[in-house]
Amino acid sequence: MLHYPAATPADPVDSDAAAPAAAFLPRYLARIGYTGPVAPTLDVLAALQAAHIAAIPFEAIDALTGAGIDIGADAIDAKLIGQRRGGYCFEQNALFLRALLAIGFDAEGLLGRVRWMLPDDAPPTPRTHMVVRVKLGGRPWLVDAGFGAAVPPAPLAMDSEEPQPTRHESYRVVRHGDMWQVAALIEGEWRTLYRLDHVSPPAIDYEIGNWYTSAHPDSHFRHQLIAARTTADARYGLRDNRLTTRLTDGRLDRRYLTADEIERTLAEVFLLPVRAHWRAAIERAATAEIAG
C-alpha cells in the first residue's frame, strides 16, 4: 500500500478580493510555500514550478458544477490564493506567468492544442491549453503548471529535441514548422501532450479557449471529476472515482473510491477546501464506470 500525504492544517481563508498589486507576489510565494531566492534564474524558475504544482492542485470542479470559471486576474487571485482552491491551465499558468513577470523574468503565454490520449492522425483539437515561455540568456524554456497528472515538473528547453529527464517522466519538445510538439515518455512510449503555436496570442484567445473548456458540452471537464497534484516523489490523479498514484520509484497504486472517500481524498490528497455544493457531483462521480 502506498503512503498518502496527511491533510495539512487549514489556514485561515483570505478575503475573496484580490490584494493590491504590490502585495501579490508575497501572497503568491506564501501560497506555494516558497522561501528561496527570488531572481530571474533557471534554478529559481525550476524551484517555483515544482513548488507551484505541489501546492496548488489541478482541478476544474467549477466547470463540472456549472459555476463557471473566470480567468480575470482578480478572480484567479481570489480563488487560487485567497480560497486556497486549485484550477486548470488558464488559471494556473496565468497566475504563474504574473508571478514570473513580477520577479523580473522575460515571460509570455502561449496557446496550444491538446493531443493527450489521441492518435497522431486525429482531427485538430481547439486551442485550449495555455503554457508559459520564458527566455533566459536568449534561450527559450517551456514551463507549465496546469496539465493535470502529466504536467511537466520542470522547465523544458525549447531549442533542443533531445529527451529531457525529470524526477518523473522524460519529456521531448520537437519543432514542427511554426509549432512545437511536447511529448512525455510513459511506459516506454512517447505520448504527445499538446502542440503549441509559436506566437503569443491576444487576451481574447484565452477567453475563447477558457469558455470552450469550461462551458462547451463537449468539454470533458463538464462531465468528469478531475483533480491532479504532482510532488517531488509522486503524482496523484483523480478521474471520477478512480485514484491513481505513481511514485518516482516506479510503484503504482490504483483504487476506486466511494463518495465519502472521494470527498476525503479531495481534502487530504489534493488539499482542497471541499464545498457542500460539490456533493452532488461527487456522488455522480462515485458511480462512474471508467474504461482503460
Side-chain angles (χ1 to χ4, degrees), residues 12 15 63 67 88 93 96 104 122 145 149 154 175 184 197-198 203 207 209 214 243 270:
S15 165
Y88 67 6
N93 284 318
F96 195 40
R175 185 73 179 261
D197 293 337
H198 75 290
E207 292 286 349
S214 64
L243 175 65
F270 299 101

Side-chain angles (χ1 to χ4, degrees), residues 60-251:
I61 297 174
D62 287 346
L64 181 63
T65 63
I69 294 177
D70 184 343
I71 59 171
D74 286 356
I76 292 173
D77 288 5
K79 179 180 175 182
L80 275 65
I81 298 178
Q83 299 172 24
R84 304 188 69 83
R85 288 279 305 279
Y88 67 6
C89 71
F90 292 108
E91 301 165 287
Q92 298 271 12
N93 284 318
L95 179 67
F96 195 40
L97 174 58
R98 288 175 56 223
L100 296 179
L101 292 172
I103 291 170
F105 283 95
D106 179 0
E108 61 185 353
L110 295 177
L111 267 178
R113 304 178 189 274
V114 175
R115 306 299 294 173
W116 180 238
M117 305 300 287
L118 294 176
D120 288 342
D121 60 354
T125 52
R127 292 183 177 92
T128 58
H129 185 58
M130 178 187 180
V131 303
V132 177
R133 176 170 57 192
V134 176
K135 293 181 181 178
L136 290 167
R139 190 177 191 190
W141 295 86
L142 167 68
V143 287
D144 188 350
F147 199 72
V151 65
L156 302 177
M158 299 181 73
D159 59 355
S160 171
E161 296 189 358
E162 295 299 314
Q164 302 183 49
T166 73
R167 288 182 63 93
H168 295 277
E169 298 79 17
S170 289
Y171 289 79
R172 189 167 62 188
V173 183
V174 177
R175 185 73 179 261
H176 288 286
D178 60 354
M179 300 188 73
W180 284 278
Q181 180 166 296
V182 181
L185 185 61
I186 299 174
E187 298 177 355
E189 177 184 355
W190 285 105
R191 301 183 185 178
T192 302
L193 305 184
Y194 41 79
R195 293 173 182 158
L196 298 169
D197 293 337
H198 75 290
V199 176
S200 186
I204 187 61
D205 288 0
Y206 296 121
E207 292 286 349
I208 296 300
N210 177 62
W211 172 84
Y212 183 95
T213 308
S214 64
H216 195 281
D218 289 346
S219 172
H220 66 282
F221 293 118
R222 297 285 290 128
H223 308 285
Q224 292 184 321
L225 175 60
I226 296 173
R229 180 170 164 248
T230 296
T231 69
D233 301 315
R235 290 192 186 273
Y236 306 98
L238 180 67
R239 181 181 171 194
D240 280 331
N241 59 357
R242 186 176 71 189
L243 175 65
T244 302
T245 303
R246 298 177 184 273
L247 299 186
T248 53
D249 63 11
R251 284 183 293 162

